[in-house]
């Protein structure tokens, strides 16, 4: 009979001395969607520059609740809205996609099995 | 009376010895929108891997005409559709945003005034 893989069995014999953190490594959330990733970057940039939702929404020509939904990744911004909000924050599309890329790459690194082996 | 800015006047006195190229440097198109930039990358990856619209649309669970519209930047793909099409091509979102960033950065470089001065 073939024996089960050694690794999972070994892991079963490890007892935690402290309670596990709230988010156990094996249940990391899936990679974010585009609207979630880009919404996060927009919110971060707005906060970094110390501006309010009302200010940026006004400059972009959209409503405050709509901007808030975009920042939380709950509404899918059209490319034109994305350009308007980015423009209101002084960000070109390329700046925005570069930030999203960096952020997603960092997240992917923490999700990667290589990280568990390190 | 104030004199007009020197630069435009100087430029008016310069006569071209050869006809101007088809696309004069001053009328470069504006930076592409997100859906245009990402559509282009999707199309490029599909062609690079030698796959048909029909094949990729089927794998992504969308119609062929819809994929074609997305590739040409005419339809705004939702984040879920983007994930499905990227997935059908073996691309994660981070790969896609990285490619879009590189492509937009190259374009920005050609649009930059530094390029005209070189």
């Amino acid at each position: 009979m073939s024996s089960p893989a050694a690794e999972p069995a070994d892991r079963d014999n490890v007892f935690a001395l402290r309670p596990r953190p709230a988010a156990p490594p094996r249940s990391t959330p899936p990679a974010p969607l585009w609207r979630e990733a880009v919404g996060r970057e927009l919110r971060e940039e707005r906060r970094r520059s110390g501006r309010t939702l009302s200010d940026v929404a006004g400059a972009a020509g959209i409503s405050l609740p709509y901007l808030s939904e975009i920042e939380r990744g709950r509404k899918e911004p059209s490319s034109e809205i994305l350009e308007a909000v980015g423009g209101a924050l002084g960000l070109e599309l390329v700046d925005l996609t570069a930030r999203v890329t960096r952020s997603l790459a960092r997240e992917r690194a923490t999700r990667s099995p290589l990280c568990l082996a390190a």
Side-chain angles (χ1 to χ4, degrees), chain A:
Chain A
M1 261 177 141
S2 68
S3 61
E7 261 194 46
D10 288 343
R11 207 179 299 118
D12 287 345
N13 290 328
V14 175
F15 297 94
L17 295 178
R18 286 189 290 186
R20 289 191 166 195
R26 286 284 162 176
S27 67
T28 46
L33 292 169
W34 163 247
R35 65 170 169 273
E36 294 165 339
V38 78
R40 240 168 21 188
E41 295 306 315
L42 292 171
R43 184 176 51 194
E44 214 169 277
E45 178 58 28
R46 180 178 60 74
R47 290 181 171 170
R48 192 182 296 128
S49 54
R51 295 172 68 187
T52 63
L53 274 169
S54 164
D55 171 27
V56 174
I62 64 174
S63 76
L64 185 154
Y66 185 36
L67 177 57
S68 171
E69 295 274 69
I70 290 172
E71 285 189 355
R72 284 178 291 150
R74 302 216 182 142
K75 282 269 190 285
E76 191 83 52
S78 72
S79 296
E80 285 81 0
I81 294 290
L82 206 57
E83 186 173 68
V85 177
L89 291 165
L91 294 178
E92 281 188 50
L93 177 59
V94 64
D95 305 318
L96 212 44
T97 57
R99 290 177 191 212
V100 166
T101 302
R102 278 197 297 272
S103 155
L104 290 175
R106 271 196 305 270
E107 270 180 78
R108 179 160 66 174
T110 65
R111 245 197 327 273
S112 155
L114 283 174
C115 198
L116 295 177

